Amino acid sequence: MLAQPTVAVIDDEPQIRRVLTITLESGGFKVISAGSANEGISLVASYQPQLIILDIGLPDRDGFSVVKELRSWNNIPIIILSVRNDGDDIVKALDLGADDYLTKPFNTAELMARVRATIRRTQQQDVNTTFVNDNLLIDFSARTVHKKGEELKVTNTEYLLLALFAANVDKVLTHKYILKQIWGPSHVEDAQYLRVFIGQLRKKIEDVPASPRLIVTEPGVGYRMKTVK
Amino acid sequence: MQDEDFLRPDPEKLLQQIARDEKSEGHLKIFFGMCAGAGKTYAMLESAHKAKRDGVDVAIGVVETHKRVETEELVSGLELVPLAEITYRGTKFKELDLDGILQRKPQLVLIDELAHSNIPGSRHEKRYQDVLEILSNGIDVYTTLNVQHLESRANTVHEITGMKIRETVSDTVFERADDVELIDITPAELLQRLQEGKVYTQENSKIAIQNFFKKGNLTALREMALRLTAEHVDKDLLDYKSEKRIEATWKSGQRLMVAIGSSPFSANLIRWTRRLAYSIEAPWFAVYVDATSELSELNKEVLLENLKLAKELGAEVITTKDTNVIAALIRVAREYNITQIIVGKSRPKGLFAYIESRRFIRELISKSGDIDVYMVGGEREAKEKKFNFQLRKVSQSPLWQYSAVFFAITLANLFIFMAASFSYQSVSMMFLFIMTLLPLFELGPGPIMLGALLSAFYWDYFYIPPLFTFHISKTEDVLMLIMFFIVASVSGVLSSRIRLHQRSLQQREARTSALYNLTKSLSVAPGINDIADIARGHIENAFSTKVAVIFGTLEGKLNAVAHPASSFQLNDTDWNIANWVFNNGQKAGKFTSTLPNSDYLFYPLDSMRGRLGVVILAPPNAQRLAFEQELMLTTIIRQIASAVERDQLNELAKSALLHEESEKLYNTLFNSISHELKTPITTIITAKSALETDAVVVNSSFLSGLVEEVSKASERLLRLVENFLDITRVESGNIKLKLEWNSMEDLLSSIAVKTASELNHHTLQISYRVEPVLFQFDFTLLQQAIYNIIHNAIEYTPKDSKIEVIYDQIGDRCILAIKDNGGGIPQDSLDKIFQKFFRGSGVKAGGTGLGLSIAKGFIEAHHGQIRAINNPDGGAIFQIIIPINR
């Protein structure tokens, strides 16, 4: 077993810091915490944690500038804590380079799942030629998609979308990010394209397209491919 | 280049076409004929019946049946919009009811006799203006028109038939027509109809046949009508071609320029040029060179008419000031890339004018270079109007100028003669001296010539020997006399010309500086009121007239009162005109063709973004504005409009900023409250879910830590909810006090207990200046209020700060001072800290900004007061005064 992974918690509410500390420690993480942005940044610089949990609303600086600054010199994954369900702030932070988000209040199971998935994703760097999730199989070398063992007919765009989700499994992808990756930077505002393609894709890969399990919608933010167990 | 330009559909035209196709503009159909009796009205009515059968909502605006039975039968089947009655000079007249039609708003309205002139007192001078207004309201119009009433044909018809046509319709209306249906009839047939009395009554018919309805006339009129219709069809085809981007065969890259003056003949020239321009598809310009500033009233009038006509017929009108007409014409022609210049061929009266006109023509031809020059023959209309067609205008000096010169020279002669001791040569020098003085007085060249003649005459008669005869014995004296005459006249005329030039320069400079001043003061005008004031002041100065300004509202209507800066207010009728101008965007009132009976002149205040208001002038005398003045006025109005527009944009930006600010405030508030609420809830939910995991359950330190967090969070949440409930009570203004005999000592000590757990190395000290008395108050509320203040002091001071509560009593009032030795309250926040949701800038997280406003509310419920001040020795002091209620 590896050494205990370290998580840095940056939140101005002592209460939240304390609860997160207890929760994460009970989950087997080492926790360091800071109550302000500047304190947090120096904490990250000196401890090099495996993950950062960052509150967007900090008293000394806003969380966006913290994300920007952290991203300018490291790639430590960041999970954003947001009070508001309003997607704009979250999308902004994600577009600046944050990896995932949680809205307050959140429950422990979800927090731990996100923390683990994010750390795992950044640690596994090996390139697989196939991707498997539930009954879906993508063969990257043959550029084919199989469901329940049968090959699916997918268009080029659908394949690219699936590959993008597979490469970022369990990570939320903003509309803008997906549009930019698939259609190029001039189409980042055309979210309606995406809705159409996701709809088609769900019809092909989901067991029940009306209640998707593989590609889930993150309201106001984007989509996420979930690992189905 | 030129050709390419023509190939491309003109976007303006396309827009017009689209606008019309989309029914925002009505469809105009003209039933066009060569003369009365062709059957236009009948054809129009028949078409109307057909339209009605097709389900179109048809109404008759006005139809002249001339008591023809067939026509009257057709009228009876259609709805009539009753005519309006207008009283003019005591007599009642019936006219088209424009407002009635606009109100009734049929799909199609029939309006006979497009060329009709309305009775004074109607809104427009001419019926065709009524029609244009109806069209602009989206109503289709059928109308009738005879060829002789077309403005550009009126003269030709006059030449052919000898009949002066007074009621004319602008050619632009004819061109505006979407359909022109020619009602053709052979002259023979028409004559027969006349004789049968189908057109006029028998007697009238006879007179008509003898005068107007001659077969020759009719044939000529018919030819004209046919040709015009053909031209219109051509134009339709052209429109169609350019719309469909079919290559039009443009013949020329030609540009025509017609030189016009203050002669009625210029109108002919204008029409001629328009016809030429039309047939060779060339753009055309009308140029007026203002060589003198002294035009007679009549000439001014004619000039204005000419300029108006040129504009109406589609010319670009250019006026320029120059004493040298030819140089000015050539200059303008070069500037506008003119390929052909059209000038009138005058028939000069008298030798002098003849030489002058010959010289003019020669010079123009020699200086025009590669520009073609057309001479168009004219006709003197001496019987109609007296006019003075001079290419180089010699000013028309009033009689008094001549007589003044006459008396001055005669008087001077008298003096010289009395003195009598000079030699006759030196007398000539004296006369010459007087002659050079003459131009100093604002005299035209005419009086100066008179002066020269007179002095020569006197000199010869009184001084050149033999005296008192015109006989001259010496040849040198003859020579001298001629020389004298030439020198006198040349110097006189030259200096008068220089003066004229100077005056025009001065005028131009005055105009430029007036505009400059206006722009300057408008550019620094801070608001709409100043703009209105500046506008009024400038127009009043420039035109010596009273001015009123009415601005439009944001809803696109006209304000109900004139702007207070106006120098007069309007009566009801004038309000209607102002509204009309505002809605239609055209000038109206005095000297215009719309509602000319008003005493005022109304101009719309237009900008790129829309109509901003109306500017109203009260011209002090009966004199209409000269073309140049009007140009100046419209320039000024444009400047004002852009200033108003700028102001509106500023206001818009300001309100957007305000909106943004309030949105920012809302966001801050929302964020802080949701933060406050969600923090304890998050804590509780997270801790609760963590408590369910095995890793926590087996570890007692995790367990107790989480349980403590849950209880702290619950307390925090409770306090928050209480705060909200309290502020709601304060807000409702409906606090019921539970008054009981209580002691302030009890209250303060209870607070000390309550805050003990919150003290973060703070010390809280309570002291009493006097023994507190018992009095009636609501223990819970006052406790809450004072707790909030102390709690605040703990929150906002660094640790190890000292908080002091001092109790005192003065008379019937109990006074509490709560002091701390922290950083004090920022000066700009002092008056805001009791406001709901106010939070100091840069304060740490937590808190809703409600505590102090709740405290204030509860204290005021006890008829008390609270205020915050900064202690000069550092820290803040909250002072509470509560009346002792026994």
Side-chain angles (χ1 to χ4, degrees), chain B residues 762-765 790 793-794 801-805 818-820:
Chain B
H762 292 77
T763 43
L764 177 67
Q765 192 194 332
I790 293 172
I794 295 169
S801 297
K802 187 178 167 194
I803 297 162
E804 249 188 298
V805 181
I818 299 159
K819 285 186 186 177
D820 65 57

Side-chain angles (χ1 to χ4, degrees), chain A residues 144-161:
Chain A
T144 52
V145 180
H146 299 263
K147 182 170 174 63
K148 294 176 183 164
E150 280 179 39
E151 189 176 336
L152 291 178
K153 272 193 177 172
V154 289
T155 65
N156 187 43
T157 310
E158 285 164 358
Y159 175 79
L160 290 176
L161 260 177

Side-chain angles (χ1 to χ4, degrees), chain B residues 478-499:
Chain B
V478 176
L479 215 63
M480 195 147 170
L481 185 69
I482 292 171
M483 264 158 57
F484 170 81
F485 181 71
I486 291 172
V487 169
S489 53
V490 166
S491 75
V493 170
L494 274 186
S495 47
S496 106
R497 205 174 276 176
I498 288 167
R499 209 189 55 237

Side-chain angles (χ1 to χ4, degrees), chain B residues 76-91:
Chain B
S76 62
L78 294 168
E79 179 191 336
L80 263 161
V81 177
L83 295 175
E85 270 191 4
I86 290 172
T87 315
Y88 178 64
R89 296 197 176 146
T91 319

Side-chain angles (χ1 to χ4, degrees), chain A residues 129-140 142-152 159 162 166 205 214:
Chain A
T129 53
T130 56
F131 167 86
V132 182
N133 188 6
D134 196 27
N135 51 26
L136 182 77
L137 184 145
I138 306 172
D139 186 336
F140 295 116
R143 278 182 79 96
T144 52
V145 180
H146 299 263
K147 182 170 174 63
K148 294 176 183 164
E150 280 179 39
E151 189 176 336
L152 291 178
Y159 175 79
L162 262 182
I205 65 167
L214 291 167

